[in-house]
């Protein structure tokens, strides 16, 4: 591998003519792609033809959104670019939610769409949509390939863009005539990854000074730690300085959920001690996070006493929403490794730890019903450390974030920025192909599960040992909770009382299922979940009235957390 | 605030659209725009005047991130504010306060 672009380029089989579609597949293989997720159709047929002779594996999904979200899940686990493939028109538009999901959570994905022939583009041809235009706001970059000879260059560039700096999705639209065109002298590129930008030493010096002088410092770590694979550096920084840490939803696992200095997730459904620590801190060390509204609550009252050190690879994030005292733009691994200075913060750490104990979660459930947090905590205690959990969106997602203790951010796949219901099942399939050795469990809700339920067919086809847990509260629970709390209990279209029989549904795909109705059945269900060789669907009935606590009401400051009513079951 | 930016970008399919899309989506209203191609046709040279309550350096950073953008210079900051700009108005109503950057 060499970083010199002139040297990187190397000639391959001079004179061997190839079709554009074959060049595309060859270029993907040269980028190290081992599997791609997709769905065929007219305009992409040349590529599917070339796939017959390819070395890489194609996984057929049952909806293009599934393929796009699987590519996203695959990329989150491996750190490599996930690739999805679809035809023109409806195939391409079905990818858009997946692209937006990857865009919002900075996930490296390359999406390839078939397009009608160049001569037909712009004529409202059959299955023509302007996917280049439609996807523009949710991609990092995009291409329409006009000349088959440029395919290797474009693929190489697309992979570089997707997975360098702040990662994101790249779309490549391939007209059918270009895919069929013959290229005489194909030139390919070898893989070379640009080194991440390094932080500036003067800013690091300012940061060290701020940290040394601070009496109440706090690390606020986000998804950037997952992207940079900086868990080790985060842990070492926290342990050498003794500074407590809170994380965002995407940052969970960058420090072990069991670590004594970990105070939990912050923000809307964060722990009380995490939010209190933020509100009281005098220095917030923001590592790869972006002051999202779910995290800050009322921005003007977020961490009101804190100076800010903001580390991010993306210069546009630094100072976007909060003025900073120290801006460290570049690789957070290098930055963290250069910031360990002696601190004098014993009193503060003791206070944080005391609060952590005072506000620790309670799992003493007085009823016979299943309490989802208890199920999740039990699973977390018993599952292997490398278990990958994928989530959907809603109350169950927040319960997983609160109660599952992750050891790596790459084991927690959750749609944060976009909040895509239906993410969990396809992401679990992508995660399985990314890491077949790990157990993969999709924790879903009765609403979310139905959004990409068709992917049960994908599990069946490839005999995947993917597990699904559905927390069934017969409702679009998170929306119901908001209607209860903020719309005077005017419930509107949130009841799912007529859910299908999920176990029978799974059986239709030859996937065994089981039901859990009582707290006493949790133990056996988890036992089976962890030991079943093939796929399994566990349908867990929970109390429809259970809510996620604590909660910062929309527009309120993080110091105004609502907690369960004193007379509620789980105080 | 109203500012004029000098942008140089690759003469690539969609490049101009991309800068307009980014500016609109990030809350910068377009007031004026001039485009010409560079002498060798390899680039577009754009002079664009935008208006927003949001900090102008954010517009610069957001444009700089685009792959096709070669350079962005904040070249004039206009003092007087023009009335009746839709974006600026909506922004005030929605109470979103964006702090100045580093
Ligand atoms: C695709 C999509 N549509 C709508 C929403 C809005 N939404 C957020 S949470 C939620 C309810 C989720 O219900 P369920 O999956 O059963 O989870 P629960 O909250 O009940 O645990 C809805 C409708 C969304 N996030 N994504
Ligand atoms: Mg539900």
């Amino acid at each position: 591998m060499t970083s010199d672009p002139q040297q990187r380029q190397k000639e391959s089989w001079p004179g061997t003519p190839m079709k554009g579609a074959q060049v595309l597949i060859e270029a993907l293989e040269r980028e190290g792609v081992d599997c791609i997720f997709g769905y065929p159709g007219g305009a992409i047929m040349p590529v599917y033809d070339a796939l017959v002779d390819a070395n890489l594996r194609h996984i057929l999904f049952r909806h293009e959104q599934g393929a796009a979200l699987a590519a996203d899940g695959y990329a989150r686990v491996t750190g490599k670019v996930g690739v999805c493939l679809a035809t023109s028109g409806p195939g391409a538009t079905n990818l858009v939610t997946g692209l937006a999901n990857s865009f919002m959570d900075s996930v490296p994905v390359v999406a390839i769409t078939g397009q009608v022939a160049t001569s037909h583009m712009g004529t409202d041809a059959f299955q023509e949509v302007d996917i280049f235009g439609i996807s523009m706001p949710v991609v990092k970059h995009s291409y329409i390939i006009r000349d088959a000879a440029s395919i290797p260059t474009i693929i190489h560039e697309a992979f570089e863009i997707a997975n360098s700096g702040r990662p994101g999705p790249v779309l490549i639209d391939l007209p059918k005539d270009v895919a069929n065109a013959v290229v005489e002298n194909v030139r390919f590129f070898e893989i070379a990854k640009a080194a991440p930008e390094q932080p500036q030493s003067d800013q690091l010096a300012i940061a060290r000074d701020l940290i040394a002088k601070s009496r109440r410092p706090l690390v606020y770590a986000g998804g950037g730690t997952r992207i940079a694979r900086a868990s080790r550096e985060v842990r070492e920084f926290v342990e050498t300085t003794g500074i407590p840490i809170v994380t965002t939803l995407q940052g969970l696992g960058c420090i072990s959920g069991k670590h004594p200095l970990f105070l939990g997730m912050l923000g809307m459904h964060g722990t009380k001690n995490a939010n209190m620590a933020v509100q009281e801190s005098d220095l917030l060390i923001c590592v790869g996070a972006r002051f999202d509204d779910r995290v800050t609550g009322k921005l003007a009252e977020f961490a009101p006493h804190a100076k800010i050190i903001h580390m991010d690879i993306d210069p546009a994030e630094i100072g976007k929403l909060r003025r900073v005292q120290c801006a460290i733009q570049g690789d957070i691994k290098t930055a963290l490794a250069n910031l360990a200075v002696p601190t004098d913060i014993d009193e503060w750490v003791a206070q944080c730890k005391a609060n952590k104990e005072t506000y620790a979660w309670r799992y003493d459930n007085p009823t016979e019903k299943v309490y989802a947090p208890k199920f999740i905590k039990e699973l977390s205690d018993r599952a292997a450390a490398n278990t990958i959990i994928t989530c959907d969106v809603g109350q169950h997602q927040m319960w997983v974030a609160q109660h599952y203790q992750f050891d790596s951010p790459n084991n927690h796949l959750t749609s944060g920025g976009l909040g895509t219901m239906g993410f969990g099942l396809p992401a679990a399939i992508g995660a399985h192909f990314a890491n077949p050795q790990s157990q993969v469990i999709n924790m879903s809700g009765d609403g979310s599960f139905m959004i990409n339920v068709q992917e049960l067919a994908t599990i069946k086809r490839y005999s995947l040992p993917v597990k699904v847990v559905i927390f069934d509260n017969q409702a679009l629970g998170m929306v119901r909770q908001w209607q209860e709390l903020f719309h005077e209990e005017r419930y509107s279209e949130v009841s799912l009382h007529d859910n299908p029989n999920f176990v029978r549904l799974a059986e239709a795909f030859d996937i065994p299922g089981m039901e859990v109705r009582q707290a006493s059945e949790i133990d056996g269900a988890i036992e089976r979940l962890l030991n079943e060789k093939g796929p399994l669907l566990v349908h867990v009935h929970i109390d429809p009235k259970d809510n996620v606590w604590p909660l910062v009401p929309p527009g309120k400051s993080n110091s105004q957390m609502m907690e369960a009513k004193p007379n509620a079951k789980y105080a | 605030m109203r500012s004029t930016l000098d942008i140089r970008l690759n003469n690539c399919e969609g490049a101009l659209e991309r800068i307009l899309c980014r500016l609109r989506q990030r809350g910068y209203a377009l007031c004026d725009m001039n485009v010409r191609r560079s002498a060798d046709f390899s680039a577009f040279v754009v002079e664009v005047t935008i208006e927003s309550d949001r900090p102008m350096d954010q517009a610069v950073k957001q444009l700089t991130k685009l792959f096709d953008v070669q350079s962005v210079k904040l070249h004039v900051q206009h003092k007087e504010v023009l009335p009746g700009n839709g974006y600026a108005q909506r922004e005030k109503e929605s109470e979103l306060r964006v702090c100045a950057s580093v």
Side-chain angles (χ1 to χ4, degrees):
Chain A
M1 229 187 285
T2 161
S3 56
D4 179 356
Q6 243 123 56
Q7 289 227 324
R8 265 192 265 158
Q9 189 171 12
K10 90 172 197 204
E11 224 133 340
S12 155
W13 315 310
T16 318
M18 289 172 86
K19 271 185 160 185
Q22 292 173 309
V23 177
L24 176 86
I25 297 295
E26 170 86 23
L28 291 176
E29 287 174 352
R30 283 169 181 260
E31 293 295 329
V33 176
D34 52 8
C35 72
I36 63 181
F37 310 103
Y39 202 89
I44 196 75
M45 278 177 71
V47 175
Y48 274 82
D49 185 74
L51 272 173
V52 173
D53 305 315
N55 294 319
L56 53 78
R57 192 164 177 206
H58 177 274
I59 309 299
L60 180 73
F61 277 69
R62 296 306 165 96
H63 190 306
E64 290 84 353
Q65 182 181 124
L69 292 173
D72 179 303
Y74 175 95
R76 286 180 204 236
V77 172
T78 56
K80 286 169 41 178
V81 175
V83 183
C84 57
L85 191 60
T87 193
S88 66
T93 54
N94 275 349
L95 289 181
V96 172
T97 300
L99 291 173
N101 193 72
S102 304
F103 187 72
M104 294 295 278
D105 284 346
S106 310
V107 181
V109 165
V110 166
I112 300 161
T113 48
Q115 181 56 279
V116 301
T118 343
S119 56
H120 286 71
M121 286 172 73
T123 67
D124 309 311
F126 176 63
Q127 292 195 326
E128 182 195 356
V129 296
D130 176 19
I131 193 63
F132 183 80
I134 289 172
S135 63
M136 199 170 268
V138 292
V139 295
K140 189 171 171 188
H141 193 57
S142 46
Y143 301 88
I144 299 173
I145 306 188
R146 300 280 179 182
D147 170 14
S150 66
I151 291 173
T153 324
I154 289 180
I155 292 287
H156 185 67
E157 204 172 86
F159 273 68
E160 288 266 340
I161 293 171
N163 213 5
S164 59
R166 179 180 185 164
V170 176
L171 176 114
I172 300 173
D173 201 24
L174 178 66
K176 195 167 181 178
D177 56 320
V178 179
N180 277 326
V182 174
V183 193
E184 293 294 341
N185 282 302
V186 193
R187 290 155 71 88
F188 286 103
F189 293 82
E190 279 185 7
I191 320 152
K193 196 161 160 34
E197 248 180 283
Q198 293 306 310
Q200 288 184 310
S201 54
D202 57 334
Q203 290 297 313
L204 292 172
I206 295 172
R208 282 193 293 270
D209 191 46
L210 286 167
I211 295 169
K213 287 191 179 129
S214 163
R215 289 294 163 268
R216 297 191 304 281
L218 188 68
V219 176
Y220 149 41
T225 61
R226 163 174 60 75
I227 295 162
R229 309 226 144 203
S231 296
R232 202 187 75 204
E233 287 76 7
V234 170
R235 198 193 63 239
E236 284 173 1
F237 174 73
V238 163
E239 285 176 353
T240 45
T241 59
I243 299 175
I245 173 169
V246 300
T247 76
T248 68
L249 182 67
Q250 295 298 326
L252 284 170
C254 75
I255 184 110
S256 166
K258 302 185 188 79
H259 198 284
L261 287 167
F262 176 57
L263 306 182
M265 182 171 77
L266 80 166
M268 181 174 273
H269 289 297
T271 62
K272 182 150 182 178
N273 55 308
N275 279 335
M276 281 170 71
V278 173
Q279 292 307 90
E280 287 163 21
S281 75
D282 66 4
L283 178 69
L284 211 51
I285 306 163
C286 172
V287 189
R290 58 185 175 86
F291 295 84
D292 176 71
D293 52 281
R294 294 281 132 150
V295 156
T296 62
K298 191 173 181 186
L299 188 58
E301 290 169 26
F302 177 72
H305 314 295
K307 292 184 173 160
I308 309 286
I309 298 172
H310 196 162
M311 302 177 209
D312 207 290
I313 194 80
D314 181 357
E317 281 306 336
I318 299 176
K320 181 179 80 175
L321 291 161
R322 171 80 180 240
R323 189 207 309 268
V324 307
Q325 279 65 42
C326 173
I328 302 180
Q329 193 250 315
D331 185 22
I332 58 180
K333 279 178 144 179
T334 317
L336 285 168
N338 282 288
L339 290 183
V341 288
T343 55
D344 173 15
I345 55 174
D346 292 352
E347 218 172 295
W348 165 243
V349 175
Q351 181 191 329
C352 289
K353 285 186 173 167
N355 281 339
K356 182 174 174 177
E357 212 158 290
T358 310
Y359 300 109
W361 301 115
R362 288 180 53 186
Y363 300 99
D364 40 348
N365 176 6
T367 80
E368 286 299 296
K369 288 203 177 132
V370 180
Y371 182 43
K374 188 177 163 118
F375 187 107
I376 292 161
K377 177 65 169 48
E378 197 117 321
L379 180 65
S380 167
D381 287 345
R382 287 162 64 180
N386 67 350
T387 304
I388 298 171
I389 303 291
T390 71
C391 276
D392 276 286
V393 174
Q395 293 180 309
H396 63 280
Q397 177 191 31
M398 291 299 109
W399 283 323
V400 169
Q402 292 175 334
H403 303 282
Y404 200 100
Q405 297 177 307
F406 290 97
D407 284 322
S408 157
N410 305 94
N411 293 346
H412 177 223
L413 276 52
T414 195
S415 169
L418 195 66
T420 312
M421 285 173 73
F423 171 73
L425 189 60
I429 297 171
H432 169 81
F433 284 104
N435 186 353
Q437 276 75 50
S438 284
Q439 164 99 270
V440 183
I441 307 174
N442 169 215
M443 308 281 255
S444 193
D446 49 332
S448 298
F449 178 67
M450 292 296 285
I451 288 200
N452 276 315
V453 66
Q454 76 284 345
E455 301 313 338
L456 288 179
T458 310
I459 290 182
K460 173 182 170 176
R461 159 165 304 215
Y462 298 99
S463 308
L464 307 178
V466 168
K467 311 292 190 285
V468 180
V469 177
I470 302 174
F471 290 108
D472 180 2
N473 50 9
Q474 304 201 4
L476 298 171
M478 186 57 97
V479 183
R480 189 202 56 70
Q481 175 170 354
W482 279 50
Q483 290 177 353
E484 177 189 334
L485 300 176
F486 311 120
H487 293 264
E488 296 88 36
E489 301 184 42
R490 285 160 52 87
Y491 297 114
S492 176
E493 302 296 326
V494 289
S495 167
L496 298 180
H497 62 278
D498 52 355
N499 270 325
N501 181 323
F502 290 117
V503 169
R504 276 195 3 236
L505 182 66
E507 279 164 3
F509 295 92
D510 292 340
I511 296 170
M514 66 182 289
E515 295 199 58
V516 178
R517 293 176 183 278
Q518 306 274 321
S520 59
E521 293 165 350
I522 294 180
D523 188 48
I526 290 177
E527 190 65 24
R528 179 156 176 210
L529 194 62
L530 296 177
N531 291 303
E532 185 88 11
K533 286 276 169 293
L536 179 72
L537 182 144
V538 183
H539 180 186
V540 184
H541 299 263
I542 62 171
D543 189 336
K545 290 193 224 54
D546 282 348
N547 280 336
V548 183
W549 304 113
L551 177 152
V552 178
K556 291 281 186 339
S557 135
N558 279 359
S559 31
Q560 292 166 276
M561 295 197 91
M562 285 171 75
E563 290 172 84
K565 295 195 192 88
N567 61 348
K569 282 184 304 170
Y570 319 105
Chain B
M1 191 197 306
R2 209 156 43 92
S3 297
T4 300
L5 309 178
D6 282 339
I7 310 167
R8 194 182 167 90
L9 63 161
N10 296 337
N11 178 0
C12 281
E13 189 161 11
L16 271 174
E17 233 176 306
R18 235 183 270 278
I19 62 168
L20 292 177
C21 178
R22 181 61 57 96
L23 286 172
R24 173 191 57 73
Q25 196 261 331
R26 293 280 166 180
Y28 299 86
L30 190 64
C31 305
D32 205 347
M33 181 164 168
N34 264 299
V35 185
R36 60 180 174 80
R37 277 191 302 184
S38 62
D40 64 356
F41 294 155
S42 71
F44 283 123
V45 180
V46 182
E47 191 190 87
V48 61
T49 303
I50 52 176
E51 188 165 55
S52 180
D53 275 1
R54 299 190 177 189
M56 284 298 158
D57 72 326
Q58 266 299 319
V60 175
K61 284 178 176 179
Q62 283 297 337
L63 292 175
T64 308
K65 278 214 286 190
L66 294 172
F67 182 74
D68 283 335
V69 170
Q70 296 172 6
S71 64
V72 185
K73 261 209 333 260
L74 186 65
H75 118 111
V76 191
Q77 300 244 16
H78 304 273
K79 285 272 152 32
E80 97 279 24
V81 177
L82 297 181
N85 178 293
Y87 286 23
Q89 220 64 31
R90 248 177 287 147
E91 187 96 333
K92 274 181 200 131
E93 283 160 18
S94 75
E95 236 197 26
L96 183 66
R97 281 287 162 268
V98 182
C99 301
S101 154
V102 221

